[in-house]
Amino acid sequence: VRRVNARILLVGILVGLVPSLWAAHTDWPTFQFDSQRTGANLLGAVRLPLEKTWTAMLSAEALGFNSAVISGRMVYAGSVSGDIVALERNTGERLWSFKAEGSVHLAPAVKDNRLFVGSADGFLRTLDAKTGQSLWGFNAGSNIHDSPLVFGGKVFFGSNSGLFYGLDAASGNLVWKKDLGDYLWSSPA
């Protein structure tokens, strides 16, 4: 009887874990999928044939160089008009939007229910990923044309001034900065 109960318990645990494991591996929370920028989700599955399930107008202007990121039930993207939007993953319904003062050129990053996004007004902003409420902003003083990287409790990004920054991801406080001497137009890895 104990062996049967143990097997039932094990099967129950595994069945309970499968949906959470599936959800965790179908997210695409940052540019090129992960902090190593591999561009591949080897545990996620693509079901063919692909079918369009919804479309959404993000803004009157194009996305520019931008791409979307996915976390949980949300899809996040920015545009050259400065609109940052959250869409419901299954329906495309707009859940919230935030207007930056400058263009958003590349994908935001999502970590711990926070959305990190840089814009051409020189600000790296952190928004509450569920509500779009601004949590903090850091003024780099120059255009940000890369996708931020969130790793180890820090957020990393560069600006057109040639400065590369490491900020505390929770507070937005400057931890360090390094002058690399030229425009920074690629995303850190």
Side-chain angles (χ1 to χ4, degrees):
V1 174
R2 288 182 193 230
R3 183 175 273 170
V4 171
N5 286 341
R7 286 183 183 161
I8 291 171
L9 177 62
L10 179 60
V11 169
I13 290 171
L14 290 175
V15 168
L17 285 176
V18 167
S20 62
L21 288 172
W22 177 256
H25 295 298
T26 57
D27 285 356
W28 196 278
T30 190
F31 176 68
Q32 293 290 327
F33 177 63
D34 55 16
S35 61
Q36 292 80 31
R37 308 291 199 206
T38 62
N41 181 351
L42 301 177
L43 298 174
V46 175
R47 294 183 187 103
L48 298 175
L50 299 176
E51 296 178 22
K52 179 169 61 173
T53 56
W54 54 264
T55 59
M57 175 63 80
L58 300 184
S59 73
E61 298 182 43
L63 283 174
F65 305 112
N66 212 329
S67 58
V69 296
I70 302 169
S71 180
R73 69 180 195 95
M74 311 280 263
V75 176
Y76 304 96
S79 70
V80 295
S81 64
D83 294 317
I84 303 161
V85 299
L87 307 171
E88 204 285 327
R89 180 182 194 154
N90 294 317
T91 65
E93 174 189 355
R94 187 180 292 226
L95 300 174
W96 58 257
S97 63
F98 181 91
K99 183 74 169 176
E101 299 288 323
S103 300
V104 176
H105 291 281
L106 287 171
V110 184
K111 182 76 171 173
D112 299 328
N113 292 315
R114 292 170 178 249
L115 185 71
F116 300 85
V117 60
S119 58
D121 63 359
F123 275 87
L124 181 84
R125 292 178 174 80
T126 297
L127 308 176
D128 182 295
K130 292 180 183 175
T131 66
Q133 178 183 357
S134 178
L135 300 175
W136 57 259
F138 178 85
N139 187 352
S142 182
N143 293 353
I144 299 171
H145 288 283
D146 64 7
S147 184
L149 173 67
V150 185
F151 183 78
K154 311 252 183 328
V155 58
F156 304 97
F157 68 98
S159 70
N160 281 7
S161 67
L163 294 174
F164 187 70
Y165 295 90
L167 307 180
D168 179 82
S171 67
N173 291 332
L174 178 67
V175 176
W176 55 262
K177 67 181 175 181
K178 175 75 176 164
D179 189 346
L180 300 179
D182 206 350
Y183 296 116
L184 297 174
W185 282 48
S186 65
S187 299

